[in-house]
Amino acid sequence: MSVAAPGTRFADAFAARETDALPGLIPYFTAGFPALESTVPLLIAAQETGCLAAEVGIPFSDPLADGPTIQRSGTRALRNGMTLHIAVRQIRAAREAGVTIPLAPMTYVNPILAYGPAAFMADLRAAGADGLIVPDLPDDEAGDVRDVAHAHGLAFIPLVAPTTTGSRLAHIAAHASGFVYCVAVTGVTGARAALAAEALQLLDRVRACTPLPRALGFGLRTHEHLEQLRGHCEAAAVGSALIDAIERDEQDAAGAAARFLRSMLHG
Amino acid sequence: MSTAAARGRFGSYGGAYVPETLVPALEELEQSMDAALSDAAFLAELATWLHDYAGRPTPMHHARRLSAVNGGAQIWLKREDLLHTGAHKLNNALGQVLLAVRMGKQRIIAETGAGQHGLATATACACLGLRCIVYMGREDMRRQALNVYKMELLGAEVVPVDSGSATLKDATNEAIRDWVTNVRDTHYVIGSAVGPHPYPTLVRRLQRVIGDETRAETRRRFGRLPSCVVACVGGGSNAIGMFTAFVEDEDVELVGVEAAGRGLDSGEHAAPLSRGRPGVLHGSRSYLMQDGDGQVEVTHSISAGLDYPGVGPEHSMLRDSGRARYESATDTDALAAFHRLTRLEGIIPALESAHALHVAARLAEQRSADDLVVVCLSGRGDKDIDTVRESPLG
Ligand SMILES: Cc1ncc(COP(=O)(O)O)c(C=O)c1O
């Protein structure tokens, strides 16, 4: 079988970055929010504003790792009729509409099991996705799903947290592909005022284990946060603050997202 | 699969599907649990609290009039309703809070549905001097207002949860999110034999006293074992507590009773073992009520303590192996059993326990008069008086 190595689109995007630049921005969108058909225009906005990649959050009824903002958007998206099957179609539609940045769906393990991991990965790959993030599938449980993802040429992007011990970190880094998602806080998703000191420590600990790119996420919301991260990581993810901005101007979701992402990138 | 994951498996069920932030805390909990449960001093301390404070051992009562009216086997009740705070939940809460003290945790969180687990945890925290926060769905706070007030009297903070269906499932999500955020100084006292490893094992260990006492008592009185033990299944802690002592006794039938709500075919029930498919919720793989897309379904039961879409992973294994059998009782069945026990035995049961009573009576009918059927009367019904009064059968 000749599938591309996992996450080549990610590798290319990270390789194209200049080393001393601001971290690349990776926005998180809840697919199907604010309207079922919002996903493609939002992904286009991410690309046009110069984001490095995008996470496509596919909602789950019981999102344990998410704070109130992303929960709320997920509940709305589910009411709009969002499913994994529709998300796969929207990723394909985004590719057809000219979106070339790397795309990483993010969802919880139960919807993936219901779809069937092999079918889901095959469909994601065919649609043009590049990787997968599953916040309730830690290293100890990830084995089968990760193998299926890799077999289909998808990166399996692990999360590491400030509480992750040294020996776990080495283990997780050894299995990682695409990039390592570093959780900036001991907590769930949600915008926060200041960057925690434990975030920078975690980034250094990850660098000591692996040459893979690092993305920091959870709690980021301002251009100043990105400035503070210059030289500390290769990418930064933003979710709740972006969803908040979209919520404030739902009639023009893509415009609101673009304005917010530009302000994060350029101050 | 790593050994950590293998240890937390019940066949293909169980595991620890949690955000990475929690994995080290679960490993710490497992180590502390193993150390405490093999430490004679800790076990002696727990035994003293259970005896002097909680009121163990609980009695077994021969439900003579109920057995006579029902016909068939003799029905005996394991009286967990007589435990301090009125339900089996205190066995688990006391054990876990003692463990938290040993681990140096100062802040305790819990989720609750009927309020019995929240009440038990608030009580254990009051007598051991720890701060206690209880997450409870707003709908359940309405249904169980008395228990909310009791928890507050005991000094606990009760936090309403509005997300999802505003019941036990959502309160559990919120408790887990709190734990993800405050994991360094907080212990999460989960209320049933559910959740990520090591919780199902820990809760089983703390609840198995129910079955251990039942087994010893029936041996002492009758020189034999019951032919059947029956318990209701919400998350499954009183049931696994009753079953564990008898699992090796192949002649003892183990029967769990789920909530059939408005009927198994109505779609409005809480019977994952009867009508669900395996899936992952709250950190473990087990039977789950979910739609075709893997979204967890909203459940219904008249009893808040059974109104939960998942079930402890060990029950899923026992179901598949056939070692235990799982039946169900509707809201109406439970209400009828509630009234029957109250009038015939002078015992007002929790609506959860009334589900078990309904099925036990049917099983007893099919057996001979010298057979013994033991029902775990998991709790008393004070908390349910308003629900019963407002019901059509009230
Ligand atoms: C009296 C009583 N019985 C049973 C249950 C169900 O829990 P479990 O299945 O864990 O025993 C509850 C839960 O709140 C309860 O209060």
Side-chain angles (χ1 to χ4, degrees):
Chain A
M1 199 165 45
S2 73
V3 287
T8 47
R9 220 185 250 120
F10 276 113
D12 296 346
F14 280 107
R17 263 188 82 247
E18 285 163 34
T19 17
D20 52 356
L22 273 189
L25 194 55
I26 306 183
Y28 170 100
F29 298 106
T30 297
F33 170 83
L36 187 61
E37 299 306 332
S38 301
T39 316
V40 175
L42 288 170
L43 293 173
I44 292 172
Q47 172 156 304
E48 287 181 347
T49 50
C51 292
L52 182 144
E55 290 173 43
V56 183
I58 314 177
F60 175 50
S61 53
D62 295 82
L64 284 184
D66 286 308
T69 303
I70 292 182
Q71 281 177 50
R72 203 164 54 235
S73 67
T75 304
R76 286 271 305 278
L78 287 172
R79 286 209 195 104
N80 290 341
M82 197 64 207
T83 64
L84 263 59
H85 285 92
I86 295 175
V88 168
R89 280 209 296 279
Q90 293 183 340
I91 289 169
R92 178 180 301 114
R95 291 296 183 216
E96 285 163 359
V99 173
T100 55
I101 57 173
L103 297 178
M106 178 159 177
T107 193
Y108 289 80
V109 67
N110 198 56
I112 298 175
L113 297 176
Y115 195 117
F120 183 53
M121 305 301 171
D123 291 352
L124 274 184
R125 179 63 178 184
D130 302 289
L132 184 65
I133 305 172
V134 191
D136 60 347
L137 206 52
D139 190 64
D140 320 66
E141 301 289 357
D144 296 349
V145 173
R146 182 176 54 220
D147 292 348
V148 178
H150 286 168
H152 288 88
L154 293 168
F156 189 85
I157 298 150
L159 290 98
V160 299
T163 54
T164 305
T165 55
S167 55
R168 281 188 65 76
L169 203 55
H171 225 73
I172 295 169
H175 292 141
S177 48
F179 62 93
V180 178
Y181 195 125
C182 304
V183 177
V185 293
T186 304
V188 295
T189 58
R192 287 163 179 87
L195 197 60
E198 59 186 7
L200 298 183
Q201 287 162 15
L202 176 63
L203 291 169
D204 289 344
R205 291 168 58 212
V206 171
R207 178 49 75 239
C209 296
T210 173
L212 278 176
R214 300 154 297 175
L216 189 75
F218 284 38
L220 306 184
R221 63 166 200 185
T222 63
H223 179 66
E224 287 66 42
H225 287 152
L226 290 197
E227 282 293 354
Q228 288 164 30
L229 289 172
R230 193 191 286 272
H232 291 283
C233 57
E234 291 65 46
V238 59
S240 298
L242 171 60
I243 305 275
D244 280 336
I246 294 171
E247 257 181 350
R248 282 193 296 271
D249 193 3
E250 291 191 6
Q251 296 313 313
D252 180 23
R259 282 189 295 282
F260 175 83
L261 293 170
R262 275 198 202 95
S263 77
M264 257 198 102
L265 282 164
H266 308 294
Chain B
M1 196 187 291
S2 80
T3 51
R7 272 203 303 280
R9 291 278 161 186
F10 301 93
S12 66
Y13 301 106
Y17 299 84
V18 294
E20 170 62 23
T21 305
L22 289 182
V23 173
L26 291 169
E27 287 174 353
E28 180 199 357
L29 177 61
E30 181 181 17
Q31 284 161 12
S32 305
M33 168 185 99
D34 289 344
L37 295 176
S38 56
D39 175 357
F42 179 83
L43 293 175
E45 186 186 8
L46 175 60
T48 302
W49 278 99
L50 289 175
H51 180 273
D52 296 358
Y53 184 76
R56 299 217 74 89
T58 57
M60 277 182 62
H61 165 69
H62 181 196
R64 290 178 188 79
R65 296 187 69 214
L66 177 66
S67 304
V69 169
N70 192 64
Q74 302 308 306
I75 299 172
W76 284 72
L77 308 175
K78 177 61 173 166
R79 298 288 311 272
E80 293 301 298
D81 63 313
L82 290 177
L83 203 65
H84 181 40
T85 71
H88 69 291
K89 298 285 181 184
L90 191 63
N91 298 322
N92 172 48
L94 262 181
Q96 285 205 43
V97 174
L98 282 168
L99 184 59
V101 169
R102 192 181 150 108
M103 292 170 73
K105 306 282 179 181
Q106 282 123 36
R107 184 173 172 273
I108 296 293
I109 57 172
E111 85 297 338
T112 199
Q116 288 303 117
H117 172 60
L119 180 62
T121 306
T123 299
C125 287
C127 70
L128 290 162
L130 273 76
R131 193 167 153 224
C132 180
I133 293 115
V134 179
Y135 290 93
M136 189 168 188
R138 199 177 291 275
E139 168 64 13
D140 288 337
M141 287 179 73
R142 187 191 63 73
R143 287 196 276 194
Q144 308 287 343
L146 181 64
N147 273 343
V148 175
Y149 185 56
K150 283 186 189 169
M151 287 185 268
E152 288 170 350
L153 285 175
L154 288 158
E157 182 189 340
V158 182
V159 180
V161 176
D162 286 310
S163 58
S165 53
T167 60
L168 181 54
K169 158 180 98 80
D170 311 285
T172 306
N173 289 335
E174 218 42 51
I176 295 175
R177 291 186 188 113
D178 178 314
W179 202 34
V180 171
T181 307
N182 299 294
V183 60
R184 290 191 173 91
D185 71 344
T186 297
H187 175 68
Y188 174 27
V189 179
I190 210 165
S192 191
V194 300
H197 177 67
Y199 280 109
T201 302
L202 174 59
V203 175
R204 175 187 64 194
R205 173 63 186 77
L206 295 171
Q207 291 292 2
R208 68 167 292 161
V209 65
I210 300 171
D212 287 341
E213 286 177 8
T214 302
R215 195 171 187 282
E217 179 82 1
T218 46
R219 286 280 281 269
R220 190 181 64 72
R221 281 185 195 237
F222 309 106
R224 62 193 162 100
L225 297 177
S227 67
C228 179
V229 296
V230 187
C232 66
V233 179
S237 70
N238 87 92
I240 208 69
M242 178 58 102
F243 292 176
T244 298
F246 298 102
V247 165
E248 307 286 312
D249 303 312
E250 296 285 342
D251 296 341
V252 180
E253 239 190 284
L254 311 177
V255 180
V257 183
E258 297 192 296
R262 300 196 172 95
L264 286 183
D265 295 324
S266 70
E268 295 181 64
H269 58 78
L273 291 165
S274 306
R275 288 300 167 90
R277 283 182 291 121
V280 173
L281 178 68
H282 296 149
S284 58
R285 181 172 186 273
S286 195
Y287 279 86
L288 177 63
M289 289 183 50
Q290 56 180 319
D291 67 16
D293 292 318
Q295 306 293 346
V296 179
E297 287 176 329
V298 172
T299 52
H300 165 80
S301 169
I302 193 171
S303 111
L306 303 183
D307 203 351
Y308 183 68
V311 64
E314 191 167 4
H315 288 292
S316 290
M317 182 183 77
L318 292 171
R319 172 201 183 276
D320 285 2
S321 72
R323 179 61 192 95
R325 204 151 52 75
Y326 295 88
E327 304 207 4
S328 64
T330 64
D331 292 350
T332 313
D333 294 335
L335 281 166
F338 173 98
H339 287 293
R340 210 178 310 121
L341 193 76
T342 302
R343 294 296 286 270
L344 290 173
E345 297 294 333
I347 297 171
I348 300 180
L351 281 173
E352 290 81 8
S353 321
H355 286 71
L357 287 165
H358 169 79
V359 168
R362 279 197 7 238
L363 294 174
E365 275 169 24
Q366 302 155 11
R367 286 161 205 268
S368 70
D370 50 55
D371 259 358
L372 302 171
V373 170
V374 180
V375 186
C376 183
L377 199 71
S378 56
R380 68 179 185 222
D382 308 41
K383 69 185 174 59
D384 296 316
I385 297 297
D386 287 341
T387 305
V388 171
R389 193 179 5 219
E390 288 162 16
S391 73
L393 289 182

